[in-house]
Structures are given as structure tokens and as C-alpha cells.
Amino acid sequence: MTLHKAHIHYPSRPVTVLGAGILGRRIAAVFLAGSYTVHLFDPNQNALSAAESFIKSSGEAFTVLTPLPHPDRGRLSLFSDMKTAVENAWLVMEATPEQLPFKIKVFEEVDRYVPGDCILASNSSSFKSRLMVPGLSEERKKRVMNVHFMMPPEMRPVEVMTCGSTEEEVMHEMMELLEKCGMCPFMVRRESTGFVFGRSWAAIKREILSILAEGVSTPDDIDLLWKEVFQRPTSGQPCQLMDQVGLDTVAAIEENYIQERGLVGDKTVDWLRENYINKGRLGDKCESGGLYPAEQGSMSEKLYVLDVGTGDNNALRDARTAGRVLAVSPKSGKRTTLVSGLSYPDGIDVSPSYGRMFWTSMGHALSACDGSVQSAKLDGSDVHTLLKPGTVYTPKQLIVDDVDRKLYFCDREGMSVHRCNFDGTDHQILIQTGSLKVPSERKDMMRFCVGVALDRGTRRIYWTQKGPSKSGKGRIFRAGIDIPAGQTANNRTDVECLLEGRPEPIDLEYDMQTQMLYWTDRGEHPMGCSLNRVDLSGDIDKETLGEKVEILARQFHEPIGLKLTKNGVYVTDLGGCVYLVSGTKKTVVTQGEGCFSGLAIP
């Protein structure tokens, strides 16, 4: 029986955490946030009381990390008797003192009381779980592993490592379980004392202590240097940096250390030369790639990002023509301006077959009809205006239908959804939510249309009506791609409201393969400033659809654009960041002093 099935068939069976100390109480809070029943064991009643107080006061900090919008917190029970605590558990998490003989004794005792399908996991930061279960049966060892938490909720990574006999399926389902609980799990691919982070951190500590011992620097200077180099939003990550420097250069530098210090290079320079350098894989400087395969991180990849123009400390009088189209490298974060002088650009998309990009500009005054739609080649040249100012009010998200060579976009103050050809001809209004001749309707933000997505499979369009700012009245609609015969954009009867009461939904993206609808939301925390999705496959019960919304990531600075890729979801925000959200991991691709809106990928 797999972990996943055990939870489905035995929802009342508990997760038992052994140890109510600093980490044990946090681990208990993680599973409670994931809606699991938790038994917390500790022979010390004072420790249990302190843990209970911590969980009650800190529960919300854990709950907001989970992907569910309104998770039901699990039920906590406290135990000072181990046998009672672990009976009928489907998962036992050990967080006891870091003493191997003690842990061996604990697991031997637990093994006598738990069912055969129970998972036994250790939070040990230094001992392999294999060392803790020498007396357990081979069948039990298939369900033993290390699950190393750091310090949630502040630090969400969790390292999952086999005991050498753990079933692969159980390992992967533990990863899924941790994601559901709002953690960022990492698979340790083979047994390793110290896991991944511990080993990396140990090497850093050893070198820093040597620097201090030799009088080369001071703690203050080391920490400041570290901050300046590695803790900036645009700082590269270790493997990325080695690819950027060049692996041949990395090897030459390391060779110098080896010669000077008498080190062994079989697992550093020798390994690097054999597996990469001698095969022509030198990093970013060559087409063969480096530590990162070329097809996943080549310099030819581009993100097209719109800078609205209200950042960079621009004077407000200049902001009206400070908008730009930027090309951003998803690997290095490098930004290049392709088009400048735009008037509050908002939505952008690309036609690979046509070799052009298209974007909307909201115009100088939001209340005036001076928005526009423009186009250019992918290098930023040959800029054309497709829909001139005076045609639309404040055009927002724009998407490309590369098959029929159509553009779809929303007009916020125009209260409408539009379609036109790639050259701007055959311009149609598909959805009209209010009358431009009625002042009260023009001021009604509930009618404002912002984001748009297309499902060619079912020939539907989706759009957002965000409502007043931070109001919690946002809605997501859909309708047919064409206006029904005999009807108009104002009175068509096929319009459906799928979701309502959202914080402030903005841009949309529809995945036709999975039938998932994704969107950014710039509303209030904790539900807003988030990336969301919902499954629209099969029959949809609109009454309960809101309960199925997943929050994939939070804590953006008013997110706007998004784009799905095989590696995850790219997101832009008005704080001037581009992020990549993959699973529960949110990483900064680039950060500037701009104000980013639309996003496209060729």
C-alpha cells in the first residue's frame, strides 16, 4: 500500500511526530497546516505544553504556505506515552536528540507498535536513516527514509533521502505530501551524510574558519562580502555561476588550490574534466552547455517582458513615454531593451511562426480613449501600430492565436474583450460588459475586463473582471470564442461566471493539455499577490469550484504577467521582478528598478 493510498483510505489515521522540541513542534505544525491529524509525543510534559502554545500562536504562518486557498487545519493531540501515540499511524516522524544509539532504540520500539504500511522517517541532520534501523525487517526498510526539515516556516526546504532500501514510489509520494503541506522538498538522489545542503554548508564553514584562523579577514567583512555577492536578487546560483564563468576556468582556478594545498582532485577537477570539459561542455560560452544542458538554459532563450515605465525613479511627467519591451535571459537575468518610448505597455505575446511580437499600450490617460496595439519583429525592429489611439481605451493582457493569426485582448476602461487579425484588420468586440454612454457603468470597476486566455480545443475564451482594487470581488468568466448567431457582445447568453469572490484576478493562462486555468492575483495578502490555478476538466460544479483553487505561490509584489513552460510558470510583478515558479519553489530570474507587467516566451 502506498503512502498516498494509505492517506485516502485512512483519513483518520494520524501522522505521529516524536519529539516536541524546536523542530518537532514545527514539523507537527507543517502537517497540521496540510490538514493531517497529528499526534505529538514527548515524555516531557513541559515540552508538550510549550509546543502546543507555539502551534496555536504560529499556525497561520504555516497555513498560508500551503497551496490550498482555505485549508482545514488538522487536529492535534498530545501524548506522553509512545505506544498510544504511534498506534495506527501511517507516518511516524522522528525528531529526537541527535544520538544514534537513542534513535536506534526509538525505531525498534516504534516498529513493534505501528502497522506494516507505516512510513518511518527521521529528521536527523547528520545520520543516515539506514544506520538507525539495523534490526528492522527488510520489508520495513522499504518504508524508511530521512526527511530533513530545516526551520519552517521561515525555511521551507526539506531534504528527502533513501535509507538504501526505500521504495521509489514512497519517496516520490513523500515529495508530493510535503508540497501539499507548503514545503519545498528536494530529493537526495543517493545516501549522503549531510544530505546536499549540509555538505555544501560544511564546506563553506570550513573555508571561512580557515580564513579567520589565518587572519585574512574578519567576521564583519566576510558577512558583508557574502551579502554583496550572493544575497542580491540578481545574484547567480552556484551551478549557474560556474557555467557563466566557464568550466575550463573553474578547473584552472581549482587546480591552483590543489597544487598549493596538496588537495586531491579526483572528485573536483578530474571529475569536471572527464565529464564536461573534455566533452566540449564549457558552460555558457559554448553551444554544448555545461552543468546545465544547453537545451534547458542556453543563452538563446528569451523572455519578452514589458516595463510599464513607472519604476527606475522616473519622474512621473516622463513615465508616459518610459515604457519598454525588454528581452530577459532566464538563465543569467540579463535585460536588454528592444523597444522604448511606449505609453504604459501592459500585455504582450509572440507569434513564432510570424516572427513578430504584439503588445498593448494603455495610453497617456486611463480615462481617455488613447490606448493602442503595436507589433514589431522579435529583435525590436520594424515597429507598427495596428490599432491606433482612439480605437481602444486601456488595452490590457493580449494573447496570440498563432493558428488563425488572431489577437485577443481585454480593454479595462472599455469594459470589453476584443479580437483582431495580426495586421489589425477585422477588429471585433466579443464581450461588452457595460455601456460607454452610461457614466455609472463606466465608473463601475466590477465591469472592468483585464486578463484573457484562449482554449482552442473547446473554442472558448476566458477573461477576468478584477473588481475594485483589493476588494475581494474579482471574477473569472468564459464564453464561446464567437458570438452566438443573432446575438451581440452586449447581450450574448453563453457567458458563464466560473469563479467569484477572488481577491483581484489579473492575467490568465490556459493549459489545453491539462485543462488547468492559471492566473495572477494582485489582491490583498494572504490570498492575493499570488499565482493560482484550478482544474477545469470534466463536468464543472461552479458552486464548489472555488474550493478547488490552488495557490501555487505567494508573496509577489502585485503580480501581473504569467507564462507556462515545461520548467514551470514565469511570473512578473510591479515590483520589477521576474520569477520562475516550479512546484512550490519560487526563484527570482531577474530584478531591476522597473515595473513589470506583461510577459511572453517565443
Side-chain angles (χ1 to χ4, degrees):
M1 179 179 292
T2 67
L3 171 65
H4 182 59
K5 290 180 180 177
H7 179 237
I8 289 176
H9 293 298
Y10 302 100
S12 61
R13 290 176 61 179
V15 174
T16 299
V17 179
L18 305 180
I22 298 299
L23 267 173
R25 64 189 63 170
R26 284 170 165 77
I27 294 170
V30 166
F31 288 109
L32 287 168
S35 303
Y36 292 96
T37 298
V38 175
H39 289 183
L40 181 58
F41 162 80
D42 199 293
N44 187 317
Q45 191 61 49
N46 290 334
L48 287 174
S49 297
E52 184 178 30
S53 297
F54 169 81
I55 291 170
K56 286 181 178 178
S57 63
S58 306
E60 181 63 23
F62 289 86
T63 301
V64 298
L65 300 176
T66 64
L68 299 176
H70 301 289
D72 295 324
R73 284 183 55 77
R75 186 178 71 255
L76 174 68
S77 299
L78 307 177
F79 295 84
S80 55
D81 176 69
M82 181 185 291
K83 179 180 179 181
T84 309
V86 302
E87 280 181 338
N88 204 34
W90 61 271
L91 170 62
V92 173
M93 274 294 318
E94 173 272 321
T96 62
E98 200 73 349
Q99 301 167 15
L100 183 57
F102 184 79
K103 292 180 184 292
I104 292 173
K105 182 179 178 181
V106 166
F107 274 124
E108 287 177 347
E109 185 174 356
V110 169
D111 186 49
R112 293 197 296 268
Y113 303 139
V114 296
D117 65 350
C118 182
I119 310 299
L120 303 184
S122 172
N123 185 59
S124 174
S125 61
S126 58
F127 295 117
K128 300 172 183 175
S129 54
R130 172 173 55 85
L131 302 176
M132 305 176 200
V133 292
L136 272 57
S137 69
E138 292 303 313
E139 190 64 27
R140 173 68 78 191
K141 290 177 182 178
K142 294 178 181 179
R143 308 181 74 75
V144 172
M145 66 182 76
N146 285 87
V147 180
H148 176 227
F149 290 80
M150 293 188 183
M151 192 62 72
E154 295 84 4
M155 299 177 68
R156 297 168 59 203
V158 182
E159 293 174 301
V160 178
M161 185 174 77
T162 177
C163 73
S165 303
T166 318
E167 289 182 341
E168 185 175 349
E169 184 179 15
V170 176
M171 297 278 290
H172 285 291
E173 291 188 346
M174 177 61 75
M175 299 280 287
E176 293 178 9
L177 163 69
L178 292 167
E179 285 194 4
K180 177 190 173 185
C181 293
M183 297 294 100
C184 294
F186 293 84
M187 181 77 76
V188 182
R189 299 177 186 274
R190 60 176 59 188
E191 287 186 284
S192 171
T193 299
F195 308 94
V196 176
F197 178 79
R199 287 183 61 177
S200 303
W201 177 229
I204 293 168
K205 286 186 294 184
R206 282 193 295 268
E207 198 63 30
I208 288 176
L209 291 174
S210 294
I211 290 170
L212 292 172
E214 295 168 12
V216 175
S217 189
T218 65
D220 286 349
D221 280 353
I222 290 172
D223 286 351
L224 181 59
L225 182 61
W226 184 276
K227 178 180 179 181
E228 289 298 317
V229 175
F230 291 113
Q231 292 185 349
R232 290 188 174 276
T234 54
S235 296
Q237 308 308 315
C239 294
Q240 290 177 338
L241 286 173
M242 284 190 279
D243 272 356
Q244 289 174 22
V245 170
L247 299 186
D248 52 343
T249 303
V250 170
I253 294 170
E254 289 302 310
E255 188 67 53
N256 184 46
Y257 287 124
I258 289 172
Q259 296 298 325
E260 182 176 312
R261 300 182 182 183
L263 303 175
V264 177
D266 61 328
K267 290 186 178 180
T268 55
V269 173
D270 295 346
W271 174 84
L272 192 61
R273 288 189 174 125
E274 179 182 351
N275 291 278
Y276 291 90
I277 297 171
N278 294 345
K279 296 179 180 179
R281 296 180 60 184
L282 306 180
D284 291 351
K285 65 176 69 177
C286 68
E287 295 182 357
S288 301
L291 297 176
Y292 279 89
E295 63 271 16
Q296 294 182 7
S298 69
M299 293 299 289
S300 61
E301 285 187 1
K302 285 182 183 177
L303 307 177
Y304 290 86
V305 176
L306 294 179
D307 180 0
V308 178
T310 54
D312 286 320
N313 294 318
N314 291 329
L316 290 180
R317 65 177 179 274
D318 300 327
R320 295 187 301 174
T321 56
R324 299 178 294 167
V325 179
L326 305 175
V328 177
S329 165
K331 187 174 182 183
S332 68
K334 181 180 178 181
R335 301 182 300 277
T336 304
T337 298
L338 300 179
V339 183
S340 59
L342 303 180
S343 182
Y344 302 117
D346 188 85
I348 186 170
D349 205 357
V350 170
S351 167
S353 67
Y354 200 50
R356 296 186 71 86
M357 54 183 166
F358 304 85
W359 67 89
T360 61
S361 291
M362 293 185 286
H364 294 173
L366 300 183
S367 60
C369 185
D370 64 351
S372 62
V373 177
Q374 294 175 287
S375 171
K377 291 182 178 179
L378 297 183
D379 62 1
S381 64
D382 191 33
V383 176
H384 286 176
T385 298
L386 308 180
L387 298 179
K388 297 180 179 180
T391 309
V392 288
Y393 283 78
T394 49
K396 302 292 287 181
Q397 186 182 9
L398 175 148
I399 58 170
V400 163
D401 176 0
D402 214 23
V403 176
D404 291 336
R405 296 205 166 184
K406 298 283 187 180
L407 305 177
Y408 292 80
F409 63 91
C410 281
D411 184 347
R412 187 178 63 194
E413 270 73 10
M415 303 175 288
S416 49
V417 182
H418 297 239
R419 177 173 65 195
C420 69
N421 293 332
F422 277 7
D423 61 0
T425 60
D426 195 22
H427 178 204
Q428 302 171 276
I429 296 179
L430 302 177
I431 302 290
Q432 186 72 56
T433 63
S435 173
L436 295 169
K437 297 180 180 180
V438 179
S440 61
E441 293 187 3
R442 290 191 61 176
K443 295 178 182 179
D444 184 1
M445 293 184 181
M446 294 294 290
R447 301 175 184 272
F448 286 4
C449 304
V450 178
V452 64
L454 177 68
D455 176 9
R456 285 189 53 82
T458 61
R459 295 191 62 77
R460 287 191 177 110
I461 52 172
Y462 295 81
W463 71 95
T464 61
Q465 292 178 212
K466 73 182 192 67
S469 179
K470 318 298 183 188
S471 67
K473 296 181 179 180
R475 294 172 292 172
I476 298 178
F477 295 82
R478 75 177 178 186
I481 200 171
D482 296 307
I483 300 175
Q487 299 180 20
T488 69
N490 300 277
N491 64 15
R492 57 188 298 175
T493 58
D494 62 337
V495 174
E496 299 177 84
C497 180
L498 297 178
L499 292 165
E500 56 186 345
R502 313 315 303 174
E504 194 176 349
I506 305 296
D507 283 5
L508 293 169
E509 180 96 351
Y510 184 77
D511 186 340
M512 286 198 294
Q513 288 187 330
T514 64
Q515 298 180 58
M516 288 279 190
L517 183 67
Y518 293 74
W519 68 93
T520 53
D521 193 305
R522 61 180 288 192
E524 288 286 4
H525 297 282
M527 312 309 294
C529 283
S530 57
L531 172 66
N532 308 263
R533 74 176 179 186
V534 70
D535 187 350
L536 297 181
S537 62
D539 295 330
I540 296 175
D541 181 356
K542 286 179 279 190
E543 295 295 324
T544 61
L545 188 61
E547 300 172 6
K548 300 178 181 179
V549 172
E550 298 176 76
I551 298 179
L552 303 180
R554 292 187 175 91
Q555 304 297 321
F556 296 98
H557 301 286
E558 302 206 30
I560 303 294
L562 75 163
K563 186 60 66 173
L564 301 179
T565 72
K566 63 181 180 181
N567 296 321
V569 187
Y570 285 99
V571 177
T572 58
D573 70 15
L574 297 181
C577 284
V578 180
Y579 302 87
L580 175 61
V581 177
S582 180
T584 59
K585 303 176 183 68
K586 182 179 75 172
T587 57
V588 176
V589 175
T590 189
Q591 181 176 25
E593 295 182 353
C595 185
F596 297 157
S597 53
L599 171 67
I601 299 177

